[in-house]
């Protein structure tokens, strides 16, 4: 036993959360393989400090995402890796002059860039809720806020995101507006 | 607003976790249709675009690292619990580590009874499911070998295996794997370099020299291959090879994935338009509100055109990727 956890507990924790943690980190940084590497750091760090986790009064999953959040912040703080520049993406993608709708293929990076312009709380809610697929209650535990506050951040975050995407004429959806 | 927030939250849950469509939610709350529709479209779009596919092999490796970490923490804890003064257990850790490896090996072989699994894994490549088993077995054998020379021979064998795997991965254009394998290989070379037995050392380096290729070299060969195509094949020069093969494969995969999402998003909507329920609804609108009907009809037609374009592009990209992947480049890497 490590802390109060058995090997089975750790395996279950890993299986249930690995994909969500990777997606959460990948929505904050631009490189998938680096996100997977950072996710590995999250689980290792969690194990290293598992004794300190006991009696914190929050579920272990919530604690895991807190670590993921901090590790991602450290990643940027150290500036170990360059952040993505939208112009670079456009240059890289526009290899074929006959490809007219280049922007269409940029949605992913552009959404990430638009997301980075939201307040940090809105960003975190959108990433945990919509990318990792956690429920509001779980997000509330991770962010130590009420369920109501999370729902409000979710609504205001989506509104702000839509405004940014529309202002930059990025949100090209053939089927938008019913 | 609080009420709207709750409804939005509920709908997001239903869509992300219970396979509801946006339309189902809008039908549930028709009075909030406009606002809800915009928010839900954006929410699903964020989910579709930012949710990435996990590399199962990386996941398996990470899992192995995590469980290994768990074991080592547990081991340290039980050692601390014994509360033996450090002077007495200074020499014990390697022994504990070795005995635990033996126990793990016995457990692995007895519980799985997996000679078949292990032998099946021995020819697996890094992009295959059994590959982590192959590496685990290698590590286990290394730990269970106590003779230094035999250990080095094992390392040499494993280094050669890494080289073979690099070649296979280069053939598939998977440079990320090459990078990982190269690091493993270099780690092996470093250990071998520290070997005191000169004969073993030289033998190992000679064998390594014959097959070893770095990621940079592999990329250089891709460049060469590109220029060769440009000299000999006009069609390639004009259309396909505009930048290195690796980039091209990566981008094509990205485009295909993107088109698949678009097709799912748009063309599935088309099916709804063709349903008898919708046709009936349209007939009613045509009678009551011709202007709205006209707008809806135009939108429907433009959707159909868009959908067809995406399907067409998807097929073109897939064809290009298949062509690119079928090209053999391995022999070029193996130039001594």
């Amino acid at each position: 036993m490590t802390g109060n956890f058995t090997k089975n507990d750790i395996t279950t924790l890993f299986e249930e959360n690995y994909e969500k943690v990777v997606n959460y980190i990948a929505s904050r940084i631009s490189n998938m393989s680096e996100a997977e590497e950072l996710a590995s750091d999250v689980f290792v760090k969690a194990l290293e400090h598992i004794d300190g986790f006991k009696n914190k009064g929050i579920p272990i999953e919530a604690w895991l995402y807190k670590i993921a959040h901090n590790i991602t912040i450290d990643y940027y703080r150290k500036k170990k890796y360059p952040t993505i520049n939208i112009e670079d993406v456009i240059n890289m993608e526009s290899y074929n002059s006959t490809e007219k709708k280049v922007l269409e293929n940029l949605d992913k990076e552009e959404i990430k860039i638009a997301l980075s312009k939201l307040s940090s709380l809105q960003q975190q809610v959108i990433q945990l809720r919509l990318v990792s697929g956690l429920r509001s209650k779980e997000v509330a535990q991770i962010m130590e806020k009420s369920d109501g506050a999370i729902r409000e951040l979710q609504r205001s975050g989506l509104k702000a995101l839509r405004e940014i995407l529309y202002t930059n004429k990025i949100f090209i959806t053939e089927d938008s507006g019913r | 607003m609080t009420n709207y927030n709750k409804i939005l939250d509920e709908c997001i849950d239903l869509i992300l976790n219970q396979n509801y469509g946006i339309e189902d939610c809008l039908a549930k709350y028709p009075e909030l249709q406009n606002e809800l529709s915009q928010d839900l479209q954006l929410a699903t779009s964020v989910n579709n675009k930012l949710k990435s596919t996990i590399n199962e092999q990386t996941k398996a490796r990470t899992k192995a690292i995590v469980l290994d970490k768990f074991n080592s923490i547990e081991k340290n804890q039980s050692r601390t619990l014994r509360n033996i003064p450090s002077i007495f257990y200074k020499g014990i850790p390697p022994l504990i580590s070795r005995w635990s490896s033996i126990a793990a090996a016995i457990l692995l072989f007895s519980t799985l009874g997996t000679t078949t699994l292990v032998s099946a894994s021995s020819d697996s490549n890094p992009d295959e499911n059994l590959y982590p088993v192959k590496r685990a077995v290698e590590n286990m054998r290394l730990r269970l070998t106590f003779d230094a020379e035999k250990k080095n021979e094992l390392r040499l064998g494993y280094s050669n295996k890494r080289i073979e795997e690099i070649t296979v991965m280069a053939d598939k254009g998977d440079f990320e794997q090459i990078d990982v394998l190269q690091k493993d290989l270099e780690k092996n070379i470093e250990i071998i370099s520290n070997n005191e037995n000169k004969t073993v050392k030289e033998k190992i380096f000679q064998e390594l020299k014959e097959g070893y290729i770095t990621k940079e070299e592999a990329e250089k060969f891709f460049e060469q291959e590109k220029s060769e195509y440009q000299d000999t094949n006009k069609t390639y020069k004009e259309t396909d090879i505009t930048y290195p093969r690796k980039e091209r494969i990566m981008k094509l995969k990205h485009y295909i994935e993107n088109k698949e999402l678009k097709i799912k998003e748009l063309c599935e909507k088309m099916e709804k338009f063709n349903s008898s329920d919708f046709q009936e609804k349209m007939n009613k609108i045509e009678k009551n509100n011709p202007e709205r009907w006209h707008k809806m009809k135009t939108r429907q037609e433009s959707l159909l055109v868009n959908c067809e374009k995406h399907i067409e592009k998807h097929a073109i990209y897939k064809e290009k990727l298949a062509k690119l992947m079928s090209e053999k480049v391995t022999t070029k890497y193996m130039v001594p």
Side-chain angles (χ1 to χ4, degrees):
Chain A
M1 296 255 286
T2 303
N4 285 323
F5 298 96
T6 63
K7 197 168 182 173
N8 275 347
D9 293 335
I10 300 298
T11 310
T12 313
L13 183 76
F14 179 86
E15 287 294 345
E16 284 178 359
N17 292 285
Y18 175 77
E19 192 167 345
K20 291 177 186 171
V21 170
V22 171
N23 269 310
Y24 174 62
I25 299 172
S27 69
R28 298 170 73 87
I29 68 171
S30 53
N31 185 314
M32 184 63 181
S33 55
E34 278 168 12
E36 285 172 322
E37 208 174 293
L38 291 180
S40 166
D41 293 348
V42 170
F43 284 97
V44 169
K45 199 165 182 181
L47 279 177
E48 281 170 352
H49 298 92
I50 208 152
D51 279 340
F53 161 73
K54 280 186 284 181
N55 304 324
K56 281 209 169 173
I58 54 167
I60 189 160
E61 289 83 3
W63 184 62
L64 206 58
Y65 286 93
K66 274 173 189 263
I67 298 175
H69 181 69
N70 292 338
I71 280 188
T72 321
I73 288 174
D74 278 352
Y75 164 94
Y76 279 116
R77 201 174 285 150
K78 284 178 195 162
K79 286 213 178 291
K80 197 175 162 190
Y81 308 93
T83 51
I84 194 143
N85 179 336
I86 189 63
E87 277 167 21
D88 292 344
V89 178
I90 291 170
N91 290 338
M92 198 166 79
E93 300 260 351
S94 59
Y95 70 98
N96 189 342
S97 56
T98 59
E99 178 75 68
K100 285 176 191 163
K101 284 189 174 179
V102 172
L103 272 180
E104 212 175 80
N105 295 313
L106 290 174
D107 286 352
K108 187 175 181 172
E109 289 311 329
E110 303 222 286
I111 289 178
K112 277 188 190 177
I113 289 163
L115 255 180
S116 69
K117 291 178 182 164
L118 302 185
S119 79
S120 62
L121 289 179
Q122 285 171 336
Q123 274 182 51
Q124 209 183 342
V125 170
I126 303 272
Q127 283 152 345
L128 288 169
R129 187 87 177 91
L130 302 181
V131 186
S132 293
L134 301 184
R135 290 175 188 274
S136 321
K137 207 174 176 183
E138 294 167 314
V139 179
Q141 283 170 329
I142 293 166
M143 293 177 67
E144 293 177 1
K145 295 202 174 295
S146 69
D147 294 7
I150 297 300
R151 287 195 290 264
E152 174 54 27
L153 280 166
Q154 174 174 264
R155 188 202 56 80
S156 64
L158 279 173
K159 189 176 174 232
L161 188 62
R162 189 167 53 248
E163 277 163 12
I164 294 165
L165 290 170
Y166 272 124
T167 314
N168 296 337
K169 290 179 184 165
I170 285 168
F171 196 42
I172 309 166
T173 54
E174 294 92 329
D175 52 339
S176 64
R178 283 166 49 89
Chain B
M1 192 53 76
T2 319
N3 197 27
Y4 176 75
N5 288 353
K6 274 190 183 168
I7 291 170
L8 174 66
D9 196 56
E10 182 200 335
C11 284
I12 289 177
D13 265 341
L14 290 173
I15 292 170
L16 298 190
N17 303 318
Q18 291 183 42
N19 293 328
Y20 269 57
I22 296 179
E23 310 288 334
D24 303 324
C25 269
L26 298 179
K28 204 173 171 189
Y29 299 104
E31 69 282 6
L32 293 168
Q33 197 160 334
N34 282 343
E35 200 177 356
L36 208 51
S37 160
Q38 285 188 334
D39 280 338
L40 292 180
Q41 280 196 26
L42 180 57
T44 45
S45 187
V46 170
N47 178 265
N48 284 338
K49 299 274 155 60
L50 297 191
K51 205 169 176 187
S52 312
T53 320
I54 299 295
N55 180 334
E56 286 301 326
Q57 200 188 325
T58 316
K59 184 182 170 184
R61 275 190 205 166
T62 307
K63 190 176 172 184
I65 292 171
V66 170
L67 293 180
D68 199 43
K69 182 83 194 168
F70 178 85
N71 287 339
S72 74
I73 292 174
E74 244 195 357
K75 209 182 294 163
N76 283 341
Q77 278 184 350
S78 57
R79 212 178 289 155
T80 318
L81 280 176
R82 274 190 234 144
N83 207 14
I84 307 167
S86 62
I87 194 167
F88 293 111
Y89 66 72
K90 254 182 186 165
I92 295 175
L95 267 181
I96 290 179
S97 161
R98 189 156 289 168
W99 285 117
S100 65
S101 285
I102 295 168
I106 293 167
L107 195 71
L108 180 79
F109 287 104
S110 61
T111 52
L112 299 176
T114 50
T115 16
T116 333
L117 180 70
V118 170
S119 64
S121 73
S122 66
D123 291 329
S124 61
N125 283 311
D127 57 345
E128 289 165 358
N129 290 338
L130 279 179
Y131 187 72
V133 179
K134 174 182 180 178
R135 296 297 295 268
V137 172
E138 285 182 7
N139 285 339
M140 201 86 76
R141 283 199 181 129
L142 261 180
R143 283 190 162 214
L144 292 171
T145 307
F146 306 105
D147 182 272
E149 201 171 328
K150 278 184 183 161
K151 214 169 185 156
N152 267 312
E153 272 173 15
L154 272 181
R155 280 215 176 85
L156 170 68
Y158 297 154
S159 300
N160 279 330
K161 277 189 182 177
R162 294 298 87 79
I163 291 165
E164 279 168 25
E165 288 158 4
I166 287 176
T167 319
V168 175
M169 289 299 110
D171 196 21
K172 292 184 178 175
D174 193 340
F175 286 83
E176 273 178 32
Q177 294 288 3
I178 295 183
D179 223 354
V180 176
L181 293 168
Q182 195 186 326
K183 275 176 195 156
D184 291 349
L185 185 57
E186 274 161 6
K187 214 180 274 172
N188 251 346
I189 295 175
E190 201 188 317
I191 299 170
I192 293 167
S193 318
N194 295 330
N195 196 288
E196 283 171 14
N197 186 330
K198 271 190 185 173
T199 333
V200 176
K201 204 169 151 182
E202 272 167 25
K203 192 179 148 199
I204 285 166
F205 274 116
Q206 186 54 37
E207 289 209 39
L208 280 176
K209 241 198 286 179
E210 285 170 15
Y212 184 33
I213 178 168
T214 66
K215 187 184 165 213
E216 283 72 24
E217 282 169 319
E219 280 175 332
K220 214 172 111 191
F221 277 113
F222 268 132
E223 279 289 339
Q224 275 178 14
E225 194 206 30
K226 186 187 90 180
S227 60
E228 275 174 35
Y229 267 119
Q230 281 175 338
D231 293 334
T232 56
N233 190 328
K234 279 181 188 169
T235 331
Y236 263 95
K237 188 185 173 186
E238 281 160 18
T239 58
D240 278 337
I241 310 284
T242 48
Y243 57 81
R245 178 186 154 112
K246 169 205 165 189
E247 290 288 309
R248 180 116 197 100
I249 290 174
M250 214 168 74
K251 292 299 150 212
L252 280 172
K253 279 183 181 168
H254 172 70
Y255 289 151
I256 289 168
E257 193 186 324
N258 197 290
K259 289 291 164 215
E260 272 162 8
L261 284 175
K262 281 277 172 197
I263 291 167
K264 198 168 180 257
E265 209 175 292
L266 300 181
C267 304
E268 278 180 6
K269 196 158 273 183
M270 288 306 305
E271 280 173 24
K272 201 167 261 180
F273 284 147
N274 293 331
S275 71
S276 57
D277 279 1
F278 192 82
Q279 288 300 337
E280 213 174 287
K281 202 176 151 192
M282 282 294 277
N283 290 341
K284 274 184 196 165
I285 295 171
E286 190 179 6
K287 279 178 199 161
N288 302 332
N289 191 345
E291 202 181 323
R292 192 175 164 218
W293 179 84
H294 185 71
K295 271 188 188 168
M296 285 177 81
K297 201 74 192 163
T298 322
R299 216 184 110 229
Q300 208 176 325
E301 276 158 9
S302 72
L303 253 175
L304 179 65
V305 174
N306 264 323
C307 176
E308 279 168 355
K309 273 187 192 166
H310 285 304
I311 292 176
E312 194 186 324
K313 279 272 172 181
H314 181 257
I316 294 173
Y317 291 147
K318 273 202 111 167
E319 198 184 315
K320 282 184 180 176
L321 182 67
K323 202 170 177 184
L324 210 54
M325 296 297 271
S326 65
E327 290 165 6
K328 293 279 173 199
V329 289
T330 323
T331 45
K332 290 182 182 173
Y333 296 150
M334 299 309 286
V335 177

